Amino acid sequence: MTDTIADRAARATPVPVARRIRGLSDRAIAWIFVAPTIFLLLAVNIFPLIWTINLSFTDFKANRANRGVEYIGLKNYERILTDSDIWLTMQATAHFLFWTIVLQVLIGFTLAWLINRKFRGNDLWTTIIVLPMMLSPAVVGNFWTFLYQPQIGLFNYIVAFFTGVDPSSFEMIGSVALAPWAIVIVDTWMWSPFVMLICLAGLRSIPDYIYEAAEIDRASKWRQFWTITVPMVLPFLMLAVLFRGIENFKMFDLVVQLTGGGPGSTTELTSINLKREAFEKWRTGYASAYAIILFVTVFGLASIYVKALNKVKER
């Protein structure tokens, strides 16, 4: 008989230890293997959260760590909730969230519906479409910054070709009115393929016999779309909205590369504002309270949304 590694390990195990292991249940052995991972997750996630909550009740500043820390209760939360600048960043974030999700859902679902129709070169076009989401946000930001240049960028010339306006008469990332739309366009270009892939999975999960039965009942293509396709793809679509909503709420790197939060504070999202409070103004306690408010907001909205998603799945 061959001498396996397990056999050698069994012989090398001391007798008292071997007896204890034999007396353990499968559940106990499972916990022995899972416990290190759980401990690591608690150390990485839970401890920083608890420490942040603790700092949110203080006037702590990281650049003055030697100074005594004073507990000030809920004053940081009161300042944040009554700060008009914070609400302006919330409005900018809401604008970015709403339009990116709407455009990505419309474009992503349309692309998925077209790709799902079998045609020559289907795989090639699918690969080309998903290329943007494979790129780093830093690369995408630099790439589109060049495209948005009013003198040499292609974007202005494309707009001028279809509208007839002077290419140098507007600047996407330097205009207060156009800068928010500049980042919406880039994020939509980058992440619509992600929504497309999820919707495509939903479309291809619909059994063909349902459409065949609808055709036997003489249902039109339009009626099949609204009574079969949309309801059965809706859970996948809602899942894509959940993922993109959470990701876009904490959007940082792409906006920093494109506009840096400007011009002024027009495109200063909550993540950028939080970074400035924590690492430029060094208001660590204030920034901690800010982070907790954002966490509770995202967690609360996501919990409500997941409940709605579960109800849609149960139908």
Side-chain angles (χ1 to χ4, degrees), residues 59-66 278-279 282-285:
D59 63 348
F60 178 72
K61 294 186 177 182
N63 63 337
R64 299 180 183 177
N66 295 328
F279 300 108
W282 296 104
R283 302 166 68 185
T284 311

Side-chain angles (χ1 to χ4, degrees), residues 171-187:
E171 186 177 357
M172 290 297 295
I173 57 178
S175 168
V176 173
L178 296 177
W181 293 105
I183 62 174
V184 168
I185 291 171
V186 177
D187 191 76

Side-chain angles (χ1 to χ4, degrees), residues 4 25 28 30 43 72 88 92-93 104 107 147 179 197-198 221 226 257-258 272 274 281 285 287:
T4 63
S25 64
I72 57 176
L88 288 176
T93 305
Q104 287 172 28
I107 296 173
L147 289 181
L197 291 176
I198 295 182
K221 293 293 184 181
W226 284 108
Q257 288 290 332
L258 282 170
I272 297 176
L274 176 60
K281 300 179 181 179

Side-chain angles (χ1 to χ4, degrees), residues 5-22:
I5 296 177
D7 294 332
R8 292 197 297 269
R11 289 196 300 269
T13 304
V15 176
V17 175
R19 289 175 180 173
R20 291 178 183 176
I21 293 176
R22 291 193 194 98

Side-chain angles (χ1 to χ4, degrees), residues 93 122 164 211:
T93 305
N122 184 292
Y211 289 107

